[in-house]
Every structure is written in structure tokens, then in C-alpha cells.
Amino acid sequence: MSSGTDIYHEMIVDYSRNPLNYGEIENHDVTFHDSNPLCGDSIDIDMKIDNHKVTDIKFHGRGCAICMACSSVLTEITKGKSLDDVRKIQKHDILSELGLEHLQAVRIKCALLSLKVLKSALYTYLGTHLENSDGIDTLKTEAENLY
Amino acid sequence: MQSAEFSLENIRKDFPILKRTVRDNKPLVYLDNASTTQKPNQVIDAITDYYRNHNANIHRAVYALAEESTEAYESARDKIANFINVKNRQEIIFVRGTTEAINLVAYAWGRSQINEGDIIVTTEYEHHSNIVPWQLLTQEKRAKLEYIGMNDDGQLILDDLDKYLKTGKVKLVAFSLVSNVLGTITDAEKIIAKCKAAGVPTLIDGAQAVPHMKVDLDTLGCDFFAFSGHKMLAPTGIGVLWVRKSVLQTMNPFHGGGDMIREVHKYETTWNDLPYKFEAGTPNIADVIGFGAAIDYLTKIGMDNVRQHEIELTKYAIEEFAKIPGLKIYGTNDITKRGGVISFNFADVHPHDVAQIIDQEGIALRSGHHCAQVLMERLNVSATSRVSFYIYNTKKDVDALINSLKIVAKVFKL
């Protein structure tokens, strides 16, 4: 059961102190920001995209250990992937990586904020770069209904 | 030391929730009283007694039940007037809480009084409920919202107020009597004196003050005063707006509807007497009666005893916090200038992580921005952890908190 104190295992605590892919990308092709109104977690994601592939991704902002660890894992998973594959990333991919499958409802938004930002960033990018942007609305809906 | 009426042991017996355990069979240590307090049997019983035995709408019908419910509702108004030393019961308006009270003023007073170029002044340590209504109003009227700044000790910089008053454009100064994050007790007398000299009305958010210390509106001399029942043992969804009668008489209604009218014709309506002009619709009768029971309870304990108890706990907690390396307390260490609220951060651990870990030990405290993001910006933090005490908290509660923080230190290798 990943609740209470158990969720604070080595990896979460380490990533919260030393997050992966933390920072900004100066010449990003897309950037997106969002926050959780109730807890104040706040995340920006910058991406560099070439040939329909995420060549670089960084995040910055403030959040709890769960938020920082999940943002680290998400950006690590995303880096190098084709946009089609990035679209397929689901919440389970992040949560399972960190053993957070049973995270209590009140903390799930901390874990998934960065995924929400990623989906919104992708939606923004595809909306301006695709000749045929049909079907990208599902991304927006997914972001809105993530938690 | 408290006087004889203050028996912590007896008080705790009145709160059934304090007997329960949480999580892994841990006794509940409830330290989120600035958010809402627990309710004693006396309040719970008053509400159930009303629904079981007296339920009827007020002010209209002539039958026995209606007479009883009207009497109970109106006597709660008298108890509250007496509790905050208000001489005229017509000045006590029942609302849902502090937020609705301030919105009522912004709407029913502000919309006719604030014009383009006017200034409303608030402070850097306000709750969102004393910021957002003024943002809405000033934006609508093309007026300006200005802030009294705060120094690093959590005290307001009153030179800022002087600066704004000098412009001659200030139409209202709105501030909280006690900060919900820092516990700072505002020097209300000084602010009101300055405003009076400049002919500017004042509004006080008393949500964190009335539950914890003697508040005397007759001597305070402000023009609007708001507070909530649920932060002082009463049910949620009931609060009070007090407005000086001379000001209240100039105000338009907030909501139109039943009970607030004298006569309604097809195209015009005349208003009911004060305070009913501002209490449209069937009010929250049961919770007003519960509020009355809460006032009785606090009156019996004595507000000086409440304050004294909180001073002792706060002092003890601040001393114990000081022994923990990496624990930073916000606001003043001067106990005479702060209520029973302590915000802190623990090294680099996010407050949500602190709250989650100590929750496993049965400890309920608040983490987050506490509806005071302007203050969080001023402190340059995204969130804090906050403990806040009430009459039923003990030094043992503080000890349990301190012990649980040791677990946080272990998990985060501090």
C-alpha cells in the first residue's frame, strides 16, 4: 500500500532533492505552465522538438517531493520519444515507475501535474504545427480530465 | 495560570471527536483550528434539539413552533451582540461566514461608494477573502487596490498607510485583526485612529480574532467587522457581519427576496427594518442556534482564559520548535503580538510531505498557502505548515507534533 510514510522511499526523496531534467530550455519550441490551485504546486515544461521527436525536455517550478519525483520520471520517459509515443504516455506509466499506484486521492494531483502540463504543451505545439490538427482535441480532454 | 473555570480535562470531555483514533490507531491530535474548530456536545445537541423539537420557519407564522424557533434565532443574535460588545442588535447581520460578509460589504456598500480613481487599502497578510472582493470591486469601478506592506517580523508597515491616506483618495481600509498564517495581532487601534483622522472607514476581518481573544467592538471603533462561527465551536455555514448603524442605513440590500422586504408591489419594493433588510430568504436557523450555544460555551470558559491558554501553548511550541535544527518559524517571537497560530517550514521538505508523514501519527495540521498567496509571495515560499491551537489542545499535543517531526527528519535524512 503506497500511502502514508511508505511512499517516501529512497527514489522519491532523492529525486525531490536532485530532480532530473530540471531547468529551462532557452530556444524551446513549446512551453507550458500549470499549477494546482489548492496546494500551490506549480510546474513549467519546455520542449525542443525536431522531426516530430522530443529532442530535449526540461521542467522547473515548485512542488512537493511527489511532484518533483514524478516530473523527473516523466521528463526522463519523454526525452527522445516521437510525438506519437509521447501522446501514449498514461498516468500509470509514471505512477508505476515510482511505486505510487495506490497514492491517495488527495495527493494524486501532485503526482500527475507534470503529465497534465506535458499533454497541454503537446496540444499547444500540435495545434500550431500540424497541417491537419484533427484529433488533437483528445489531448486537451485528457489533460483536463487527468485528475 | 488559568482561573478555576478553565479545566482542560473537562473541556476535552465535551468534544466527542477528540476520543477517536485515526490512521493506525493513533489518537487524534487536532492542530488545524485556524481552519475550523471541533464542536462540543453542547453545540451538537443544540442543533439536534432544534430539528427534533422546534423546527419551523422564523418571523412569519403564529403557531407555537414558529414562535420558539424565532425566539431561539433572535436570542442567538443577542448573545453574539453581547459577546463582542455591540449595543445595537440591529447591527448584527447573519451571513454564511467571513467571506460572504466581506462580499456583502463590497457589493452593497462598495458599489455605491467607490468611484473611478478611488483607493481601497488592504494588507500583505490578508486571507484571499479580504483581497479578491476588493479586486473585483476596484476592477469594476476602475479604482485602485493598494497594500500595507509587512516587515520581516510579520508586522505591518504603517508608514505605507500614511502614504496612501495622504493622497485623499482612500475610501476604505480593510485588514485582519489576526493573520491566519503568521498569527500577528494587528495594531488595530493605531490603524483606526489614523483612518478616523482622515475620515476613512475601516473594515476588520475578525475571523482569527473573535474565537481566541476578547474583542470589544464598542471601543475598537471600526465601521465593518466580519467573523465566522465555525472557527469558534459553532457549525459551518454561519457567520456575522457587523456594520455601524449610521453606515448600514446608507447601504442598499445585498440579496433581494423574502424576509428583507416591507412591501412589494409590481414595480417597487420597500425594505424591511435592520438587520432583516440584509437577511433575504430563510436563514440558516439551526446553525444560528448552534452558534448561540457556542457563544454560551465560550462565555462560560471566559475569553481571557482562552487567550491565556493559547499563549501558554504557543510559547511552549515556539520553544520546542527552536530546538529542532532546520525548522524555521515565520512571524514574530513576541508572544504578546501573536495569536495561537504558528507557520513553519522544515529544512527543504515541502509542507505537503511534512503533513502527509505526520498524518500517519494522527496529527492534523495544515499545509499549503492557507488562502494567503500574496503573503506567500512576500515570504518567498510556495507554502508553509501551520499549527493552530484552541481550548482543547494540550502540551501533550505539542509533544506529539515534535515527535512526529523527528520522523520527517528521518525520512528526509535531515
Side-chain angles (χ1 to χ4, degrees):
Chain A
M1 185 60 192
S2 54
S3 69
T5 311
D6 302 344
I7 60 170
Y8 293 98
H9 52 73
E10 195 82 25
M11 214 162 135
I12 300 256
V13 173
D14 282 354
Y15 281 151
S16 77
R17 290 260 163 69
N18 304 300
L20 303 173
N21 308 309
Y22 191 87
E24 296 175 43
I25 300 174
E26 255 180 49
N27 303 311
H28 56 251
D29 293 300
V30 65
T31 183
F32 202 85
H33 164 86
D34 206 348
S35 60
N36 283 324
L38 288 180
C39 68
D41 288 351
S42 164
I43 293 290
D44 287 83
I45 288 182
D46 298 348
M47 284 194 284
K48 193 91 193 119
I49 297 171
D50 286 313
N51 264 333
H52 290 274
K53 213 170 143 185
V54 177
T55 53
D56 197 11
I57 178 166
K58 283 195 189 307
F59 81 98
H60 61 276
R62 296 209 269 200
C64 60
I66 306 294
C67 180
M68 287 299 165
C70 288
S71 303
S72 297
V73 166
L74 174 70
T75 48
E76 202 60 11
I77 290 176
T78 307
K79 207 190 282 182
K81 272 200 164 62
S82 72
L83 296 188
D84 285 342
D85 286 343
V86 173
R87 283 185 70 163
K88 288 178 195 144
I89 297 173
Q90 296 302 321
K91 49 182 147 184
H92 179 78
D93 301 325
I94 312 301
L95 298 175
S96 62
E97 190 73 21
L98 288 163
L100 297 174
E101 295 93 332
H102 303 287
L103 195 64
Q104 68 211 90
V106 68
R107 298 303 296 281
I108 202 83
K109 60 191 188 325
C110 309
L112 298 179
L113 173 61
S114 50
L115 181 57
K116 186 182 180 196
V117 174
L118 177 73
K119 285 183 183 293
S120 304
L122 202 55
Y123 172 77
T124 309
Y125 179 82
L126 292 175
T128 50
H129 288 78
L130 272 189
E131 278 166 29
N132 177 6
S133 56
D134 289 353
I136 65 162
D137 283 350
T138 51
L139 264 173
K140 197 182 171 196
T141 317
E142 273 175 40
E144 281 165 0
N145 300 318
L146 204 53
Y147 51 84
Chain B
M1 284 302 291
Q2 279 87 34
S3 56
E5 306 93 79
F6 193 91
S7 158
L8 198 46
E9 202 185 324
N10 287 342
I11 286 171
R12 287 185 67 87
K13 279 185 199 153
D14 289 332
F15 291 80
I17 209 167
L18 297 178
K19 294 186 188 80
R20 68 161 286 185
T21 57
V22 291
R23 300 298 181 201
D24 196 12
N25 213 21
K26 297 279 169 43
L28 171 68
V29 176
Y30 186 78
L31 295 171
D32 192 18
N33 295 289
S35 182
T36 196
T37 62
Q38 300 302 339
K39 320 302 174 199
N41 283 322
Q42 288 83 341
V43 169
I44 299 167
D45 292 347
I47 299 164
T48 40
D49 175 62
Y50 167 73
Y51 281 127
R52 282 177 188 281
N53 300 309
H54 310 287
N55 180 49
N57 212 332
I58 54 165
H59 293 160
R60 288 275 175 273
V62 293
Y63 50 81
L65 288 186
E67 197 176 285
E68 287 166 21
S69 66
T70 302
E71 155 63 20
Y73 180 85
E74 290 303 333
S75 80
R77 195 189 308 273
D78 292 329
K79 286 173 188 174
I80 288 160
N82 191 40
F83 190 72
I84 52 176
N85 199 19
V86 162
K87 302 276 191 277
N88 188 343
R89 68 190 308 279
Q90 291 185 315
E91 297 171 336
I92 302 281
I93 299 162
F94 285 120
V95 290
R96 280 190 297 161
T98 307
T99 297
E100 188 177 64
I102 297 174
N103 277 279
L104 192 160
V105 176
Y107 188 93
W109 178 84
R111 291 177 100 213
S112 65
Q113 299 295 322
I114 303 298
N115 297 304
E116 187 170 348
D118 288 345
I119 296 174
I120 292 176
V121 176
T122 184
T123 88
E124 277 188 337
Y125 62 51
E126 295 311 306
H127 189 282
H128 294 162
S129 63
N130 205 12
I131 292 177
V132 182
W134 307 126
Q135 286 179 346
L136 291 170
L137 177 63
T138 50
Q139 280 159 16
E140 182 186 321
K141 296 289 181 179
R142 295 167 184 263
K144 262 175 96 176
L145 182 60
E146 300 282 9
Y147 289 83
I148 301 174
M150 183 192 85
N151 67 22
D152 291 336
D153 198 38
Q155 313 290 326
L156 295 179
I157 302 165
L158 294 189
D159 291 350
D160 289 348
L161 175 62
D162 295 335
K163 186 178 75 191
Y164 299 129
L165 288 176
K166 257 185 217 153
T167 64
K169 290 180 178 168
V170 177
K171 288 291 154 67
L172 179 74
V173 175
F175 61 95
S176 54
L177 197 46
V178 174
S179 154
N180 73 314
V181 176
L182 302 170
T184 309
I185 301 172
T186 307
D187 191 347
E189 279 175 40
K190 210 178 225 173
I191 294 178
I192 293 168
K194 284 173 185 289
C195 291
K196 273 190 172 164
V200 173
T202 45
L203 176 143
I204 294 182
D205 168 355
Q208 300 294 341
V210 179
H212 304 285
M213 56 194 69
K214 182 84 197 132
V215 172
D216 182 333
L217 291 196
D218 197 45
T219 51
L220 205 51
C222 60
D223 299 282
F224 306 93
F225 192 95
F227 61 105
S228 299
H230 72 99
K231 292 183 196 294
M232 49 190 297
L233 311 178
T236 52
I238 191 67
V240 163
L241 170 66
W242 170 85
V243 184
R244 181 179 301 288
K245 193 175 176 190
S246 54
V247 180
L248 203 51
Q249 283 167 328
T250 67
M251 285 165 58
N252 281 321
F254 181 36
H255 294 146
D259 216 29
M260 51 80 72
I261 52 89
R262 179 174 305 283
E263 283 176 34
V264 178
H265 305 285
K266 250 186 179 169
Y267 301 108
E268 75 229 29
T269 293
T270 50
W271 313 127
N272 198 346
D273 294 331
L274 299 173
Y276 309 112
K277 176 180 169 184
F278 294 96
E279 292 181 0
T282 296
N284 189 352
I285 304 166
D287 293 329
V288 164
I289 291 166
F291 200 169
I295 296 284
D296 288 341
Y297 192 92
L298 288 170
T299 306
K300 205 171 135 207
I301 293 174
M303 291 311 290
D304 290 339
N305 289 327
V306 172
R307 172 76 179 131
Q308 190 54 38
H309 177 65
E310 289 183 21
I311 285 177
E312 281 175 27
L313 280 181
T314 308
K315 211 169 142 229
Y316 180 64
I318 289 177
E319 282 163 12
E320 292 302 307
F321 277 160
K323 294 175 190 164
I324 303 177
L327 195 139
K328 178 181 166 57
I329 291 176
Y330 299 97
T332 183
N333 282 332
D334 182 347
I335 204 77
T336 62
K337 288 182 184 162
R338 77 143 76 214
V341 180
I342 309 171
S343 272
F344 65 92
N345 264 313
F346 194 12
D348 64 344
V349 185
H350 194 283
H352 289 316
D353 299 319
V354 171
Q356 172 136 16
I357 292 170
I358 69 174
D359 168 55
Q360 292 306 301
E361 305 306 305
I363 293 164
L365 65 63
R366 190 59 165 272
S367 58
H369 54 58
H370 317 294
C371 296
Q373 284 186 309
V374 171
L375 177 58
M376 295 293 119
E377 266 177 39
R378 168 64 183 80
L379 297 172
N380 197 25
V381 296
S382 57
T384 69
S385 299
R386 178 187 71 183
V387 289
S388 49
F389 302 115
Y390 211 34
I391 48 174
Y392 37 68
N393 288 121
T394 63
K395 286 190 176 171
K396 247 173 81 184
D397 291 345
V398 177
D399 293 338
L401 169 65
I402 300 292
N403 282 330
S404 71
L405 289 173
K406 288 174 184 157
I407 299 172
V408 175
K410 206 173 138 203
V411 170
F412 277 86
K413 303 183 184 80
L414 297 177

